[in-house]
Amino acid sequence: MKRLVAIGFKPVKQGPMTLVESADVTLAHGVEQDIFGRPGKRQVTVLSREQWHLVCTELGASLPWTTRRANLLIEGHSFSAADLGKLLHIGKLTLQITGETDPCKKMQIACPGLEAALTPDWRGGVTCRVLNDAKIYEGDAVSLES
């Protein structure tokens, strides 16, 4: 079963992630209080739990998912280029997958080898555009639609 495992946001640039059990996600702002949530192709970022575990196993490290600094963590699906343009439904929220979240140098600073481990097969997650306002909750069902 695909489901939303966790929700996080960055209230300040380069600050720590804040975790919440529910969040309002809007067309105007992305995940509430996230500093980077303005409208556009990278409004919300989503990470796959399975892909994150694969990365951590390869590195021999036990890193929290927030190291990746994504907004949402889902389980039950591994992202790939085939997901580009698909609709990602999380509870009553609909996101459109706009691309791959490219790993940056911050990942290398967080853990040596992390940037390279996130690079193949869209392991770094996806960027999304918000298509409707909705409140999401940990545990919400997740589905993909072409």
Side-chain angles (χ1 to χ4, degrees):
M1 179 175 137
K2 296 179 180 110
R3 70 180 184 97
L4 178 62
V5 178
I7 305 165
F9 63 89
K10 298 166 287 296
V12 295
K13 192 172 183 177
Q14 297 186 13
M17 294 289 293
T18 298
L19 298 177
V20 292
E21 293 180 6
S22 65
D24 290 315
V25 182
T26 65
L27 292 159
H29 194 73
V31 177
E32 65 178 318
Q33 301 181 48
D34 190 87
I35 192 162
F36 297 114
R38 58 194 164 276
K41 291 182 177 183
R42 192 186 166 108
Q43 204 169 12
V44 174
T45 53
V46 185
L47 182 66
S48 159
R49 176 184 258 179
E50 290 80 3
Q51 287 172 299
W52 182 249
H53 282 299
L54 178 63
V55 165
C56 290
T57 299
E58 275 187 18
L59 294 173
S62 179
L63 301 168
W65 76 277
T66 53
T67 304
R68 182 63 187 106
R69 306 184 63 72
N71 296 119
L72 308 177
L73 179 67
I74 67 164
E75 71 178 6
H77 182 76
S78 292
F79 293 110
S80 73
D83 294 322
L84 184 62
K86 288 186 178 179
L87 301 181
L88 180 63
H89 301 283
I90 301 173
K92 295 181 179 182
L93 175 67
T94 302
L95 303 172
Q96 181 180 34
I97 297 174
T98 57
E100 176 181 10
T101 308
D102 296 320
C104 65
K105 299 293 178 205
K106 290 178 187 172
M107 298 300 100
Q108 192 62 21
I109 294 166
C111 178
L114 181 56
E115 183 179 7
L118 287 167
T119 301
D121 305 319
W122 290 43
R123 292 181 187 175
V126 294
T127 58
C128 299
R129 176 181 290 124
V130 177
L131 298 183
N132 69 295
D133 295 350
K135 188 167 190 90
I136 57 172
Y137 302 87
E138 285 182 358
D140 275 351
V142 171
S143 64
L144 269 88
E145 171 188 353
S146 296

